[in-house]
mmCIF file of all heavy atoms in Angstrom:
data_model
loop_
_atom_site.group_PDB
_atom_site.id
_atom_site.type_symbol
_atom_site.label_atom_id
_atom_site.label_comp_id
_atom_site.label_asym_id
_atom_site.label_seq_id
_atom_site.Cartn_x
_atom_site.Cartn_y
_atom_site.Cartn_z
ATOM 1 N N SER A 41 -164.981 -203.767 -37.463
ATOM 2 C CA SER A 41 -164.823 -202.367 -37.059
ATOM 3 C C SER A 41 -165.119 -202.182 -35.574
ATOM 4 O O SER A 41 -164.396 -201.473 -34.858
ATOM 5 C CB SER A 41 -165.737 -201.469 -37.896
ATOM 6 O OG SER A 41 -165.305 -201.467 -39.244
ATOM 7 N N ILE A 54 -163.768 -196.724 -38.044
ATOM 8 C CA ILE A 54 -162.640 -197.517 -38.534
ATOM 9 C C ILE A 54 -162.757 -197.624 -40.051
ATOM 10 O O ILE A 54 -163.842 -197.879 -40.586
ATOM 11 C CB ILE A 54 -162.649 -198.934 -37.923
ATOM 12 C CG1 ILE A 54 -162.553 -198.873 -36.388
ATOM 13 C CG2 ILE A 54 -161.538 -199.794 -38.520
ATOM 14 C CD1 ILE A 54 -161.246 -198.400 -35.827
ATOM 15 N N ALA A 78 -146.538 -180.922 -40.858
ATOM 16 C CA ALA A 78 -145.250 -181.041 -40.181
ATOM 17 C C ALA A 78 -145.000 -182.525 -39.940
ATOM 18 O O ALA A 78 -145.732 -183.162 -39.182
ATOM 19 C CB ALA A 78 -145.264 -180.279 -38.862
ATOM 20 N N ALA A 93 -146.119 -186.940 -49.049
ATOM 21 C CA ALA A 93 -146.717 -185.608 -49.121
ATOM 22 C C ALA A 93 -146.207 -184.858 -50.350
ATOM 23 O O ALA A 93 -147.003 -184.354 -51.162
ATOM 24 C CB ALA A 93 -146.403 -184.823 -47.846
ATOM 25 N N VAL A 94 -144.906 -184.808 -50.498
ATOM 26 C CA VAL A 94 -144.291 -184.066 -51.602
ATOM 27 C C VAL A 94 -144.780 -184.593 -52.947
ATOM 28 O O VAL A 94 -145.123 -183.819 -53.858
ATOM 29 C CB VAL A 94 -142.748 -184.146 -51.509
ATOM 30 C CG1 VAL A 94 -142.097 -183.615 -52.760
ATOM 31 C CG2 VAL A 94 -142.262 -183.397 -50.273
ATOM 32 N N GLU A 114 -141.219 -181.056 -26.790
ATOM 33 C CA GLU A 114 -140.723 -179.686 -26.964
ATOM 34 C C GLU A 114 -140.493 -179.370 -28.441
ATOM 35 O O GLU A 114 -140.798 -178.263 -28.900
ATOM 36 C CB GLU A 114 -139.410 -179.481 -26.182
ATOM 37 C CG GLU A 114 -139.552 -179.532 -24.683
ATOM 38 C CD GLU A 114 -139.601 -180.935 -24.105
ATOM 39 O OE1 GLU A 114 -139.339 -181.904 -24.855
ATOM 40 O OE2 GLU A 114 -139.906 -181.059 -22.902
ATOM 41 N N ASP A 117 -143.865 -178.801 -30.014
ATOM 42 C CA ASP A 117 -144.425 -177.534 -29.551
ATOM 43 C C ASP A 117 -143.779 -176.351 -30.274
ATOM 44 O O ASP A 117 -144.463 -175.421 -30.726
ATOM 45 C CB ASP A 117 -144.222 -177.418 -28.044
ATOM 46 C CG ASP A 117 -145.163 -176.417 -27.392
ATOM 47 O OD1 ASP A 117 -146.178 -176.036 -28.028
ATOM 48 O OD2 ASP A 117 -144.898 -176.004 -26.249
ATOM 49 N N VAL A 128 -149.925 -182.721 -38.023
ATOM 50 C CA VAL A 128 -148.678 -183.316 -37.534
ATOM 51 C C VAL A 128 -148.704 -184.807 -37.829
ATOM 52 O O VAL A 128 -149.692 -185.492 -37.544
ATOM 53 C CB VAL A 128 -148.516 -183.089 -36.010
ATOM 54 C CG1 VAL A 128 -147.442 -184.008 -35.433
ATOM 55 C CG2 VAL A 128 -148.161 -181.638 -35.722
ATOM 56 N N ALA A 167 -151.651 -203.272 -31.487
ATOM 57 C CA ALA A 167 -151.933 -204.663 -31.114
ATOM 58 C C ALA A 167 -150.743 -205.323 -30.425
ATOM 59 O O ALA A 167 -150.843 -206.444 -29.950
ATOM 60 C CB ALA A 167 -152.380 -205.528 -32.297
ATOM 61 N N GLU A 209 -163.251 -182.608 -45.471
ATOM 62 C CA GLU A 209 -164.336 -181.953 -46.221
ATOM 63 C C GLU A 209 -163.842 -180.678 -46.907
ATOM 64 O O GLU A 209 -164.372 -180.268 -47.943
ATOM 65 C CB GLU A 209 -165.498 -181.595 -45.280
ATOM 66 C CG GLU A 209 -166.262 -182.784 -44.712
ATOM 67 C CD GLU A 209 -167.347 -183.309 -45.646
ATOM 68 O OE1 GLU A 209 -167.386 -182.888 -46.820
ATOM 69 O OE2 GLU A 209 -168.137 -184.163 -45.190
ATOM 70 N N TYR A 232 -171.376 -200.550 -44.105
ATOM 71 C CA TYR A 232 -170.045 -201.144 -43.941
ATOM 72 C C TYR A 232 -169.579 -201.972 -45.145
ATOM 73 O O TYR A 232 -168.786 -202.895 -45.003
ATOM 74 C CB TYR A 232 -169.964 -201.954 -42.635
ATOM 75 C CG TYR A 232 -169.854 -201.040 -41.445
ATOM 76 C CD1 TYR A 232 -170.995 -200.542 -40.821
ATOM 77 C CD2 TYR A 232 -168.616 -200.636 -40.973
ATOM 78 C CE1 TYR A 232 -170.910 -199.665 -39.746
ATOM 79 C CE2 TYR A 232 -168.516 -199.758 -39.899
ATOM 80 C CZ TYR A 232 -169.658 -199.284 -39.289
ATOM 81 O OH TYR A 232 -169.560 -198.412 -38.237
ATOM 82 N N ASN A 256 -159.826 -214.372 -26.046
ATOM 83 C CA ASN A 256 -159.031 -215.521 -25.637
ATOM 84 C C ASN A 256 -157.794 -215.048 -24.871
ATOM 85 O O ASN A 256 -157.664 -215.272 -23.668
ATOM 86 C CB ASN A 256 -158.649 -216.363 -26.860
ATOM 87 C CG ASN A 256 -157.975 -217.667 -26.494
ATOM 88 O OD1 ASN A 256 -157.172 -217.712 -25.586
ATOM 89 N ND2 ASN A 256 -158.298 -218.726 -27.205
ATOM 90 N N GLU A 286 -130.831 -194.352 -27.943
ATOM 91 C CA GLU A 286 -129.918 -193.732 -26.968
ATOM 92 C C GLU A 286 -130.449 -193.759 -25.532
ATOM 93 O O GLU A 286 -129.675 -193.630 -24.586
ATOM 94 C CB GLU A 286 -129.595 -192.289 -27.379
ATOM 95 C CG GLU A 286 -130.769 -191.328 -27.333
ATOM 96 C CD GLU A 286 -130.327 -189.867 -27.428
ATOM 97 O OE1 GLU A 286 -129.164 -189.612 -27.788
ATOM 98 O OE2 GLU A 286 -131.150 -189.010 -27.127
ATOM 99 N N PHE A 318 -134.576 -220.191 -38.590
ATOM 100 C CA PHE A 318 -134.883 -218.875 -38.019
ATOM 101 C C PHE A 318 -134.462 -217.778 -38.990
ATOM 102 O O PHE A 318 -133.573 -217.978 -39.819
ATOM 103 C CB PHE A 318 -134.120 -218.647 -36.703
ATOM 104 C CG PHE A 318 -134.379 -219.676 -35.648
ATOM 105 C CD1 PHE A 318 -133.546 -220.796 -35.528
ATOM 106 C CD2 PHE A 318 -135.438 -219.543 -34.762
ATOM 107 C CE1 PHE A 318 -133.763 -221.747 -34.560
ATOM 108 C CE2 PHE A 318 -135.658 -220.492 -33.777
ATOM 109 C CZ PHE A 318 -134.828 -221.598 -33.677
ATOM 110 N N LYS A 328 -127.217 -201.018 -42.246
ATOM 111 C CA LYS A 328 -126.953 -202.421 -42.602
ATOM 112 C C LYS A 328 -125.568 -202.833 -42.118
ATOM 113 O O LYS A 328 -124.587 -202.096 -42.277
ATOM 114 C CB LYS A 328 -127.053 -202.591 -44.120
ATOM 115 C CG LYS A 328 -127.015 -204.027 -44.574
ATOM 116 C CD LYS A 328 -127.309 -204.153 -46.059
ATOM 117 C CE LYS A 328 -127.342 -205.620 -46.469
ATOM 118 N NZ LYS A 328 -127.680 -205.788 -47.897
ATOM 119 N N ARG A 333 -131.674 -206.470 -36.255
ATOM 120 C CA ARG A 333 -132.976 -206.244 -35.618
ATOM 121 C C ARG A 333 -133.668 -207.568 -35.334
ATOM 122 O O ARG A 333 -133.686 -208.470 -36.172
ATOM 123 C CB ARG A 333 -133.856 -205.380 -36.532
ATOM 124 C CG ARG A 333 -133.268 -203.982 -36.738
ATOM 125 C CD ARG A 333 -134.032 -203.191 -37.779
ATOM 126 N NE ARG A 333 -133.910 -203.767 -39.102
ATOM 127 C CZ ARG A 333 -134.752 -203.542 -40.108
ATOM 128 N NH1 ARG A 333 -135.805 -202.773 -39.924
ATOM 129 N NH2 ARG A 333 -134.552 -204.090 -41.285
ATOM 130 N N GLN A 341 -144.092 -216.150 -28.934
ATOM 131 C CA GLN A 341 -144.104 -216.379 -27.486
ATOM 132 C C GLN A 341 -142.703 -216.193 -26.891
ATOM 133 O O GLN A 341 -141.703 -216.239 -27.605
ATOM 134 C CB GLN A 341 -144.607 -217.798 -27.185
ATOM 135 C CG GLN A 341 -145.996 -218.081 -27.719
ATOM 136 C CD GLN A 341 -147.072 -217.225 -27.083
ATOM 137 O OE1 GLN A 341 -147.112 -217.056 -25.857
ATOM 138 N NE2 GLN A 341 -147.979 -216.672 -27.899
ATOM 139 N N GLU A 343 -140.929 -218.173 -25.124
ATOM 140 C CA GLU A 343 -140.040 -219.328 -25.353
ATOM 141 C C GLU A 343 -139.466 -219.346 -26.773
ATOM 142 O O GLU A 343 -138.350 -219.825 -27.002
ATOM 143 C CB GLU A 343 -140.755 -220.645 -25.036
ATOM 144 C CG GLU A 343 -142.076 -220.862 -25.723
ATOM 145 C CD GLU A 343 -143.264 -220.396 -24.896
ATOM 146 O OE1 GLU A 343 -143.120 -219.431 -24.110
ATOM 147 O OE2 GLU A 343 -144.347 -221.004 -25.042
ATOM 148 N N GLU A 347 -135.458 -219.377 -27.570
ATOM 149 C CA GLU A 347 -134.890 -220.375 -28.489
ATOM 150 C C GLU A 347 -134.037 -219.699 -29.563
ATOM 151 O O GLU A 347 -132.930 -220.162 -29.880
ATOM 152 C CB GLU A 347 -136.023 -221.181 -29.138
ATOM 153 C CG GLU A 347 -135.528 -222.321 -30.020
ATOM 154 C CD GLU A 347 -136.652 -223.032 -30.767
ATOM 155 O OE1 GLU A 347 -137.759 -222.444 -30.896
ATOM 156 O OE2 GLU A 347 -136.414 -224.153 -31.247
#
Side-chain angles (χ1 to χ4, degrees):
S41 293
I54 300 291
V94 169
E114 293 81 10
D117 200 16
V128 165
E209 292 276 11
Y232 284 88
N256 187 320
E286 66 167 14
F318 303 93
K328 189 172 183 178
R333 296 172 294 159
Q341 301 296 314
E343 53 267 31
E347 185 186 19

